[in-house]
Amino acid sequence: MTAWSYYRIDYEKLASIRTSFPNSEEAQNAIKEWFECLNYNFGQYSLEAFKGLGQLYVEDERFTKIY
């Protein structure tokens, strides 16, 4: 499996739980997998950097318009 296909699988999982409660087990598991995927394929993210990435997805209209 390529990095891109692993990335896509995790992104689709995240999209499927977007209306779930953030502290639900399902959401936390998906977020953990996403964090591990980023660290495995694209460099090392600190928890603080990962949190900032999440804020970017939620607050930046370049993401909110599309996703």
Coordinates of all heavy atoms in Angstrom, one line a residue:
M1 N 0.8 -1.2 0.0 CA 0.0 0.0 0.0 C 0.9 1.2 0.0 O 1.8 1.3 0.8 CB -0.9 0.0 1.2 CG -1.8 1.1 1.3 SD -2.9 1.1 2.8 CE -3.8 -0.4 2.5
T2 N 0.6 2.2 -0.9 CA 1.4 3.4 -0.9 C 0.9 4.4 0.2 O -0.1 4.2 0.8 CB 1.1 4.1 -2.3 OG1 -0.2 4.5 -2.4 CG2 1.5 3.2 -3.5
A3 N 1.8 5.3 0.4 CA 1.5 6.4 1.4 C 0.1 7.0 1.0 O -0.7 7.3 1.9 CB 2.6 7.4 1.5
W4 N -0.1 7.3 -0.3 CA -1.3 8.0 -0.7 C -2.5 7.2 -0.4 O -3.5 7.7 0.1 CB -1.2 8.4 -2.1 CG -2.6 8.9 -2.6 CD1 -3.4 8.3 -3.5 CD2 -3.3 10.1 -2.2 NE1 -4.5 9.0 -3.7 CE2 -4.5 10.1 -2.9 CE3 -3.0 11.1 -1.3 CZ2 -5.4 11.1 -2.7 CZ3 -3.9 12.1 -1.1 CH2 -5.1 12.1 -1.8
S5 N -2.5 5.9 -0.7 CA -3.7 5.1 -0.5 C -4.0 4.9 1.0 O -5.1 4.9 1.4 CB -3.6 3.7 -1.2 OG -2.4 3.0 -0.7
Y6 N -2.9 4.8 1.8 CA -3.1 4.8 3.3 C -3.7 6.1 3.8 O -4.7 6.1 4.5 CB -1.8 4.5 4.0 CG -1.9 4.3 5.5 CD1 -2.6 3.2 5.9 CD2 -1.2 5.1 6.4 CE1 -2.7 3.0 7.3 CE2 -1.3 4.9 7.7 CZ -2.0 3.8 8.2 OH -2.1 3.6 9.5
Y7 N -3.2 7.2 3.2 CA -3.8 8.5 3.5 C -5.2 8.6 3.2 O -6.0 9.1 3.9 CB -2.9 9.6 2.8 CG -3.4 11.0 2.8 CD1 -3.2 11.8 3.8 CD2 -4.1 11.4 1.7 CE1 -3.7 13.1 3.8 CE2 -4.6 12.8 1.6 CZ -4.4 13.6 2.7 OH -4.8 14.9 2.7
R8 N -5.6 8.2 2.0 CA -6.9 8.3 1.5 C -7.9 7.4 2.4 O -9.0 7.9 2.7 CB -7.0 7.8 0.1 CG -8.4 7.9 -0.5 CD -8.4 7.7 -1.9 NE -9.8 7.7 -2.3 CZ -10.2 7.6 -3.6 NH1 -9.4 7.4 -4.5 NH2 -11.5 7.7 -3.8
I9 N -7.5 6.3 2.7 CA -8.3 5.4 3.6 C -8.6 6.1 4.9 O -9.8 6.2 5.3 CB -7.6 4.1 3.8 CG1 -7.6 3.2 2.6 CG2 -8.4 3.3 4.9 CD1 -6.7 2.0 2.6
D10 N -7.6 6.7 5.5 CA -7.8 7.4 6.8 C -8.6 8.6 6.6 O -9.5 8.9 7.5 CB -6.5 7.7 7.4 CG -5.8 6.5 8.1 OD1 -6.5 5.5 8.3 OD2 -4.7 6.6 8.5
Y11 N -8.5 9.3 5.6 CA -9.2 10.6 5.3 C -10.7 10.2 5.2 O -11.6 10.9 5.7 CB -8.7 11.3 4.1 CG -9.4 12.6 4.0 CD1 -9.0 13.7 4.8 CD2 -10.4 12.8 3.0 CE1 -9.7 14.9 4.6 CE2 -11.1 14.0 2.9 CZ -10.7 15.1 3.7 OH -11.3 16.3 3.6
E12 N -11.0 9.2 4.4 CA -12.4 8.7 4.3 C -13.0 8.3 5.6 O -14.2 8.6 5.9 CB -12.5 7.6 3.2 CG -12.2 8.1 1.8 CD -12.1 7.0 0.8 OE1 -12.0 5.8 1.2 OE2 -12.0 7.4 -0.4
K13 N -12.2 7.7 6.4 CA -12.7 7.3 7.8 C -13.1 8.6 8.6 O -14.1 8.6 9.2 CB -11.7 6.4 8.5 CG -12.2 6.0 9.9 CD -11.2 5.2 10.6 CE -11.2 3.8 10.2 NZ -10.4 2.9 11.0
L14 N -12.2 9.5 8.5 CA -12.4 10.8 9.3 C -13.7 11.5 8.7 O -14.5 12.0 9.5 CB -11.2 11.7 9.2 CG -10.0 11.3 10.0 CD1 -8.8 12.3 9.7 CD2 -10.3 11.4 11.5
A15 N -13.8 11.5 7.4 CA -15.0 12.1 6.9 C -16.3 11.4 7.3 O -17.3 12.1 7.6 CB -14.9 12.2 5.3
S16 N -16.2 10.1 7.5 CA -17.4 9.4 7.8 C -17.8 9.6 9.3 O -19.0 9.4 9.6 CB -17.2 7.9 7.6 OG -16.4 7.3 8.6
I17 N -16.9 10.1 10.1 CA -17.3 10.4 11.5 C -17.4 11.9 11.9 O -17.4 12.2 13.0 CB -16.3 9.7 12.5 CG1 -14.8 10.1 12.2 CG2 -16.4 8.2 12.4 CD1 -14.1 10.6 13.4
R18 N -17.4 12.7 10.9 CA -17.4 14.1 11.1 C -18.5 14.7 11.9 O -18.4 15.7 12.5 CB -17.3 14.9 9.8 CG -18.5 14.9 8.9 CD -18.3 15.5 7.6 NE -19.4 15.4 6.7 CZ -19.6 14.3 5.9 NH1 -18.8 13.3 5.9 NH2 -20.7 14.3 5.1
T19 N -19.6 14.0 12.0 CA -20.7 14.4 12.9 C -20.8 13.7 14.2 O -21.7 13.9 15.0 CB -22.1 14.2 12.2 OG1 -22.3 12.9 11.8 CG2 -22.1 15.1 10.9
S20 N -19.8 12.8 14.5 CA -19.7 12.1 15.8 C -19.2 13.1 16.9 O -18.6 14.1 16.6 CB -18.8 10.9 15.7 OG -19.2 10.0 14.7
F21 N -19.5 12.7 18.1 CA -18.9 13.5 19.2 C -17.4 13.3 19.2 O -16.9 12.1 19.1 CB -19.5 13.0 20.5 CG -20.9 13.4 20.7 CD1 -21.9 12.5 20.6 CD2 -21.2 14.7 21.0 CE1 -23.3 12.9 20.8 CE2 -22.5 15.1 21.2 CZ -23.6 14.2 21.1
P22 N -16.6 14.3 19.3 CA -15.2 14.2 19.3 C -14.6 13.3 20.3 O -13.6 12.7 20.1 CB -14.7 15.7 19.5 CG -15.8 16.5 19.2 CD -17.1 15.7 19.5
N23 N -15.2 13.2 21.5 CA -14.7 12.3 22.5 C -15.2 10.9 22.5 O -15.0 10.1 23.3 CB -15.0 12.9 23.9 CG -16.4 13.1 24.2 OD1 -17.3 13.0 23.3 ND2 -16.8 13.3 25.5
S24 N -16.0 10.5 21.4 CA -16.5 9.2 21.3 C -15.3 8.2 20.9 O -14.3 8.7 20.4 CB -17.5 9.1 20.1 OG -16.9 9.2 18.9
E25 N -15.5 7.0 21.3 CA -14.4 6.0 21.0 C -14.1 5.9 19.5 O -12.9 5.9 19.1 CB -14.8 4.6 21.6 CG -13.7 3.6 21.4 CD -14.1 2.3 22.0 OE1 -15.1 2.2 22.8 OE2 -13.4 1.3 21.7
E26 N -15.2 5.9 18.7 CA -15.0 5.9 17.3 C -14.2 7.0 16.7 O -13.2 6.9 16.0 CB -16.3 5.8 16.6 CG -16.3 5.8 15.1 CD -17.7 5.8 14.4 OE1 -18.6 6.5 15.0 OE2 -17.8 5.2 13.4
A27 N -14.5 8.2 17.2 CA -13.8 9.4 16.7 C -12.3 9.4 17.2 O -11.4 9.7 16.5 CB -14.5 10.7 17.2
Q28 N -12.1 9.1 18.5 CA -10.8 9.0 19.1 C -9.9 8.0 18.3 O -8.7 8.3 18.1 CB -10.8 8.8 20.6 CG -11.3 10.0 21.4 CD -10.5 11.2 21.2 OE1 -9.3 11.2 21.4 NE2 -11.1 12.3 20.7
N29 N -10.5 6.9 18.0 CA -9.7 5.8 17.3 C -9.3 6.3 15.9 O -8.2 6.1 15.4 CB -10.5 4.5 17.2 CG -10.5 3.8 18.5 OD1 -9.7 4.0 19.4 ND2 -11.5 3.0 18.7
A30 N -10.3 7.0 15.2 CA -10.0 7.5 13.9 C -8.9 8.6 13.9 O -8.0 8.7 13.1 CB -11.3 8.0 13.2
I31 N -9.0 9.5 14.9 CA -8.0 10.6 15.1 C -6.6 10.0 15.4 O -5.6 10.4 14.9 CB -8.5 11.5 16.2 CG1 -9.7 12.3 15.7 CG2 -7.4 12.5 16.5 CD1 -10.5 13.0 16.7
K32 N -6.6 9.0 16.2 CA -5.3 8.3 16.6 C -4.7 7.7 15.3 O -3.5 7.9 15.1 CB -5.5 7.2 17.6 CG -4.3 6.5 18.0 CD -4.6 5.5 19.1 CE -3.3 4.8 19.6 NZ -2.9 3.7 18.8
E33 N -5.5 7.0 14.5 CA -5.0 6.4 13.3 C -4.5 7.5 12.3 O -3.5 7.4 11.6 CB -6.1 5.6 12.6 CG -6.4 4.3 13.3 CD -7.5 3.6 12.6 OE1 -7.9 3.9 11.5 OE2 -8.1 2.7 13.3
W34 N -5.2 8.7 12.2 CA -4.8 9.8 11.4 C -3.4 10.3 11.8 O -2.5 10.6 11.0 CB -5.8 10.9 11.4 CG -5.6 12.0 10.6 CD1 -5.4 13.3 11.0 CD2 -5.4 12.1 9.1 NE1 -5.2 14.2 9.9 CE2 -5.1 13.4 8.8 CE3 -5.4 11.1 8.1 CZ2 -4.9 13.8 7.5 CZ3 -5.1 11.5 6.8 CH2 -4.9 12.8 6.5
F35 N -3.3 10.5 13.2 CA -2.0 11.0 13.7 C -0.9 10.0 13.4 O 0.2 10.5 13.0 CB -2.2 11.1 15.3 CG -1.0 11.6 16.0 CD1 -0.6 12.9 15.9 CD2 -0.2 10.7 16.7 CE1 0.6 13.4 16.6 CE2 0.9 11.2 17.4 CZ 1.3 12.5 17.3
E36 N -1.1 8.7 13.6 CA -0.1 7.7 13.2 C 0.2 7.7 11.8 O 1.4 7.6 11.4 CB -0.5 6.4 13.7 CG -0.6 6.3 15.2 CD -1.2 5.0 15.7 OE1 -1.8 4.2 14.9 OE2 -1.2 4.7 17.0
C37 N -0.8 7.9 10.9 CA -0.6 7.9 9.5 C 0.3 9.1 9.1 O 1.3 8.9 8.3 CB -1.9 8.0 8.8 SG -1.8 8.2 7.0
L38 N 0.0 10.3 9.6 CA 0.8 11.4 9.3 C 2.3 11.2 9.7 O 3.2 11.6 9.0 CB 0.2 12.7 10.0 CG -1.1 13.2 9.4 CD1 -1.6 14.4 10.2 CD2 -0.9 13.6 7.9
N39 N 2.4 10.7 10.9 CA 3.8 10.5 11.5 C 4.5 9.5 10.7 O 5.8 9.6 10.5 CB 3.7 10.2 13.0 CG 3.6 11.5 13.8 OD1 4.4 12.4 13.7 ND2 2.5 11.5 14.5
Y40 N 3.9 8.4 10.2 CA 4.5 7.4 9.5 C 4.9 7.8 8.1 O 6.0 7.5 7.6 CB 3.6 6.2 9.4 CG 4.2 5.0 8.7 CD1 5.1 4.2 9.3 CD2 3.8 4.7 7.4 CE1 5.7 3.1 8.6 CE2 4.4 3.7 6.7 CZ 5.3 2.9 7.3 OH 5.9 1.8 6.6
N41 N 4.0 8.6 7.4 CA 4.2 8.9 6.0 C 4.8 10.3 5.7 O 5.3 10.5 4.6 CB 2.9 8.8 5.3 CG 2.4 7.3 5.2 OD1 3.1 6.5 4.6 ND2 1.3 7.0 5.8
F42 N 4.6 11.2 6.6 CA 4.9 12.6 6.2 C 5.7 13.3 7.2 O 5.8 14.6 7.2 CB 3.6 13.4 6.0 CG 2.7 12.7 5.0 CD1 1.6 12.0 5.3 CD2 3.0 12.8 3.6 CE1 0.7 11.4 4.4 CE2 2.2 12.2 2.7 CZ 1.1 11.5 3.0
G43 N 6.4 12.7 8.1 CA 7.3 13.4 9.1 C 6.7 13.2 10.5 O 5.7 12.6 10.7
Q44 N 7.4 13.9 11.4 CA 7.0 13.8 12.8 C 6.2 15.0 13.3 O 6.7 16.1 13.3 CB 8.2 13.6 13.7 CG 8.9 12.3 13.4 CD 8.1 11.1 13.7 OE1 7.5 10.9 14.8 NE2 7.9 10.2 12.8
Y45 N 4.9 14.8 13.7 CA 4.1 15.8 14.2 C 4.0 15.7 15.7 O 3.8 14.6 16.2 CB 2.6 15.7 13.7 CG 2.4 16.1 12.2 CD1 2.9 15.3 11.2 CD2 1.8 17.3 12.0 CE1 2.7 15.7 9.9 CE2 1.6 17.7 10.7 CZ 2.1 16.9 9.6 OH 1.9 17.3 8.3
S46 N 4.2 16.8 16.4 CA 4.0 16.8 17.8 C 2.5 16.9 18.0 O 1.7 17.2 17.1 CB 4.7 18.1 18.5 OG 4.0 19.2 18.0
L47 N 2.0 16.6 19.3 CA 0.6 16.7 19.5 C 0.1 18.1 19.3 O -1.0 18.3 18.9 CB 0.3 16.2 20.9 CG 0.4 14.7 21.1 CD1 0.2 14.3 22.6 CD2 -0.6 13.9 20.2
E48 N 1.0 19.1 19.7 CA 0.6 20.5 19.5 C 0.4 20.8 18.0 O -0.5 21.5 17.7 CB 1.7 21.4 20.2 CG 1.3 22.8 20.1 CD 2.2 23.7 20.9 OE1 2.8 23.2 21.9 OE2 2.4 24.8 20.5
A49 N 1.3 20.4 17.2 CA 1.2 20.6 15.8 C 0.0 19.9 15.2 O -0.7 20.5 14.3 CB 2.5 20.1 15.1
F50 N -0.3 18.7 15.6 CA -1.4 18.0 15.2 C -2.7 18.7 15.6 O -3.7 18.8 14.8 CB -1.4 16.6 15.8 CG -2.5 15.7 15.2 CD1 -2.5 15.3 13.9 CD2 -3.4 15.1 16.1 CE1 -3.5 14.4 13.4 CE2 -4.4 14.3 15.6 CZ -4.4 13.9 14.3
K51 N -2.8 19.2 16.8 CA -3.9 20.0 17.2 C -4.1 21.3 16.3 O -5.2 21.6 16.0 CB -3.7 20.4 18.7 CG -4.9 21.2 19.2 CD -4.7 21.6 20.7 CE -5.8 22.5 21.2 NZ -5.5 22.9 22.6
G52 N -3.0 21.9 16.0 CA -3.0 23.1 15.1 C -3.6 22.7 13.8 O -4.3 23.5 13.2
L53 N -3.2 21.6 13.3 CA -3.7 21.1 12.0 C -5.2 20.9 12.0 O -5.9 21.3 11.1 CB -3.0 19.8 11.6 CG -3.3 19.2 10.2 CD1 -3.0 20.2 9.1 CD2 -2.6 17.9 10.1
G54 N -5.7 20.4 13.1 CA -7.1 20.2 13.3 C -7.8 21.5 13.3 O -8.9 21.7 12.7
Q55 N -7.3 22.5 14.0 CA -7.9 23.8 14.1 C -7.9 24.4 12.7 O -8.9 25.1 12.3 CB -7.1 24.7 15.0 CG -7.3 24.4 16.5 CD -8.7 24.6 16.9 OE1 -9.4 25.4 16.4 NE2 -9.1 23.8 17.9
L56 N -6.9 24.2 11.9 CA -6.8 24.7 10.5 C -8.0 24.1 9.7 O -8.7 24.8 9.0 CB -5.5 24.4 9.9 CG -5.3 24.8 8.4 CD1 -5.1 26.3 8.3 CD2 -4.1 24.1 7.8
Y57 N -8.2 22.8 9.8 CA -9.3 22.2 9.1 C -10.6 22.8 9.5 O -11.5 22.9 8.7 CB -9.3 20.7 9.4 CG -8.2 19.9 8.9 CD1 -7.8 18.7 9.4 CD2 -7.5 20.3 7.7 CE1 -6.8 17.9 8.9 CE2 -6.5 19.5 7.2 CZ -6.1 18.3 7.8 OH -5.1 17.5 7.3
V58 N -10.8 23.2 10.7 CA -12.1 23.6 11.2 C -12.3 25.1 11.0 O -13.4 25.6 10.6 CB -12.2 23.4 12.8 CG1 -13.4 24.0 13.4 CG2 -12.2 21.9 13.0
E59 N -11.2 25.9 11.1 CA -11.4 27.4 11.0 C -11.0 28.1 9.7 O -11.5 29.1 9.4 CB -10.5 28.0 12.2 CG -11.0 27.6 13.5 CD -10.1 28.0 14.6 OE1 -9.0 28.6 14.4 OE2 -10.4 27.7 15.8
D60 N -10.2 27.5 8.9 CA -9.7 28.1 7.7 C -10.7 27.9 6.6 O -11.0 26.7 6.2 CB -8.3 27.6 7.3 CG -7.7 28.3 6.2 OD1 -8.4 28.6 5.1 OD2 -6.5 28.7 6.3
E61 N -11.2 28.9 6.0 CA -12.3 28.8 5.0 C -11.8 28.1 3.7 O -12.6 27.6 3.0 CB -12.9 30.1 4.7 CG -12.1 31.1 4.0 CD -12.8 32.4 3.7 OE1 -13.5 32.9 4.5 OE2 -12.7 32.9 2.5
R62 N -10.5 28.0 3.5 CA -10.0 27.2 2.4 C -10.4 25.8 2.5 O -10.6 25.1 1.6 CB -8.5 27.4 2.2 CG -8.1 28.8 1.7 CD -6.7 29.0 1.7 NE -6.2 28.9 3.1 CZ -4.9 29.0 3.5 NH1 -4.0 29.1 2.5 NH2 -4.6 29.0 4.7
F63 N -10.4 25.3 3.8 CA -10.8 23.9 4.1 C -12.3 23.8 4.2 O -13.0 22.9 3.7 CB -10.1 23.4 5.3 CG -8.6 23.2 5.1 CD1 -7.7 24.1 5.5 CD2 -8.2 22.0 4.5 CE1 -6.4 23.9 5.3 CE2 -6.8 21.8 4.3 CZ -5.9 22.8 4.7
T64 N -12.9 24.7 5.0 CA -14.3 24.6 5.3 C -15.2 24.8 4.0 O -16.3 24.2 4.0 CB -14.8 25.6 6.4 OG1 -14.5 27.0 5.9 CG2 -14.1 25.4 7.7
K65 N -14.8 25.5 3.0 CA -15.5 25.6 1.8 C -15.6 24.3 1.0 O -16.6 24.0 0.4 CB -14.9 26.7 0.9 CG -15.2 28.1 1.3 CD -14.6 29.0 0.2 CE -14.9 30.5 0.6 NZ -14.3 31.4 -0.4
I66 N -14.5 23.6 1.1 CA -14.4 22.3 0.3 C -14.9 21.1 1.1 O -15.6 20.3 0.6 CB -12.9 22.1 -0.1 CG1 -12.5 23.3 -1.0 CG2 -12.8 20.8 -0.8 CD1 -11.0 23.3 -1.3
Y67 N -14.5 21.1 2.4 CA -14.8 19.9 3.2 C -15.9 20.2 4.1 O -16.4 19.5 4.9 CB -13.6 19.4 3.9 CG -12.4 19.2 3.0 CD1 -11.3 20.1 3.0 CD2 -12.4 18.2 2.2 CE1 -10.2 19.9 2.2 CE2 -11.3 18.0 1.3 CZ -10.2 18.9 1.3 OH -9.2 18.7 0.5

